[in-house]
Amino acid sequence: MGYVIALIPALCWGVMPLISTKVGGSSSNQVFGIGLGALIVSTISMVIIRPSIGLIPFLVAVLSGACWSVGQFGQFASMKKIGVSNTMPLSTAFQLIGNTLIGVCIFHEWQGSKQLILGFFALALVIVGAMLTSITDKSSGKLVAAKDVVFLLLTTIGYVIYSAFPRFPILAHADSVAIYLPETIGILLGVTIYQLITEGPKVFKQRGQYANILSGLLWGIAGLSYIFGARAIGITVAFIFSQLNVILSTLGGIYVLHEQKSPFEMRYTMIGLLLVVIGAVMTAFA
């Protein structure tokens, strides 16, 4: 049963970008909808399970969620510029690299030459795989611009900070379910402040602001499932399972959203996806 639960995040996080793209709205609309849907799921889980959490960990978790909203905004904006099938492998690779480097440099998770060699070889596979998925046929005239890759890289820092927060001592011993609610509050708070500054109160009258709640419910269910999946089969295996979302979202972008790729591009996309997944698995075992 634990393995079934651990597969839910891959399914939900893989489908979420496809639904959000179909539903539409601005990038900030999409993040707001996700925050609202996730808040509903986390509130229900908090009421049912009733875990306890102190004020300081609560506030830190809120900040963590706000950082996540930066990463998600960048991901949605990139989907509009370069498509889901190009964005998701790159985003996954950047997150894997960032999370791994923080784990190695700050938390010293890799110790000994064997782990370091295996880990950095895995990262090299992820980097090469991500680069292969973004290769475009020059004759198509739809090259992925360097500035778009840099934009995605910089905003992905928000994801990496969000992932790093629970490893710090202040949250390390807090109940995973307990910090889930303040994280979703932080997501909603972060995007709301951004919208009020850039667009004003009129943004809350836009249809896209609420049309993406379904994506948020999926994100919330995925996040909660990941917590319980990790408890049942361990963080390492649960993490590996969650990375399968990149396959679903990338292929969904091609076959569901009909993002055009030539046979030349498809060949490299498939090889790149395989390398990203292999690298993710190796990184988790390093």
Side-chain angles (χ1 to χ4, degrees):
M1 188 62 182
Y3 289 95
V4 175
I5 295 174
L7 278 172
I8 295 175
L11 177 62
C12 293
W13 283 330
V15 171
M16 188 193 77
L18 309 179
I19 294 177
S20 291
T21 301
K22 280 284 190 181
V23 170
S26 68
S27 299
S28 66
N29 287 155
Q30 291 171 315
V31 177
F32 183 90
I34 286 178
L36 195 56
L39 181 62
I40 292 172
V41 174
S42 64
T43 301
I44 293 173
S45 67
M46 197 75 166
V47 170
I48 294 174
I49 302 173
R50 296 186 179 182
S52 60
I53 183 172
L55 177 60
I56 299 302
F58 185 95
L59 295 176
V60 172
V62 170
L63 179 59
S64 168
C67 291
W68 182 92
S69 67
V70 174
Q72 190 60 60
F73 175 83
Q75 193 178 88
F76 279 136
S78 296
M79 287 177 193
K80 289 176 169 43
K81 293 179 181 178
I82 62 177
V84 175
S85 58
N86 283 324
T87 297
M88 290 309 294
L90 287 171
S91 179
T92 298
F94 292 155
Q95 290 178 63
L96 282 169
I97 293 167
N99 290 337
T100 302
L101 290 178
I102 284 181
V104 173
C105 298
I106 297 179
F107 300 105
H108 308 292
E109 293 179 352
W110 293 349
Q111 296 179 354
S113 57
K114 183 179 178 180
Q115 282 188 311
L116 289 170
I117 292 172
L118 178 62
F120 282 107
F121 178 72
L123 282 185
L125 287 181
V126 170
I127 293 170
V128 172
M131 291 173 63
L132 290 177
T133 61
S134 62
I135 287 179
T136 52
D137 194 335
K138 292 182 179 180
S139 62
S140 67
K142 50 182 178 61
L143 298 175
V144 176
K147 65 178 182 179
D148 293 329
V149 176
V150 171
F151 171 79
L152 180 60
L153 173 61
L154 292 176
T155 53
T156 299
I157 293 174
Y159 276 145
V160 175
I161 295 174
Y162 163 79
S163 299
F165 263 117
R167 305 187 206 181
F168 285 98
I170 197 167
L171 291 180
H173 302 294
D175 189 301
S176 301
V177 178
I179 67 173
Y180 194 48
L181 175 62
E183 281 179 344
T184 57
I185 291 174
I187 292 171
L188 203 57
L189 186 61
V191 69
T192 297
I193 292 173
Y194 171 81
Q195 288 182 323
L196 288 174
I197 293 173
T198 58
E199 301 180 63
K202 64 180 182 181
V203 70
F204 297 104
K205 297 180 180 179
Q206 296 174 1
R207 172 189 169 276
Q209 192 82 338
Y210 310 100
N212 285 281
I213 289 180
L214 175 58
S215 295
L217 293 174
L218 285 174
W219 191 92
I221 292 169
L224 201 58
S225 300
Y226 181 80
I227 291 171
F228 288 107
R231 287 179 177 179
I233 62 176
I235 294 175
T236 298
V237 180
F239 173 78
I240 293 171
F241 276 34
S242 74
Q243 297 310 299
L244 297 176
N245 78 85
V246 68
I247 299 175
L248 188 58
S249 57
T250 301
L251 296 181
I254 296 169
Y255 295 111
V256 177
L257 301 179
H258 307 295
E259 295 175 355
Q260 297 299 314
K261 282 189 179 287
S262 68
F264 171 83
E265 293 169 339
M266 278 296 294
R267 188 181 313 118
Y268 282 101
T269 295
M270 294 302 181
I271 295 172
L273 277 178
L274 180 61
L275 291 179
V276 169
V277 173
I278 291 175
V281 172
M282 289 179 64
T283 300
F285 281 109

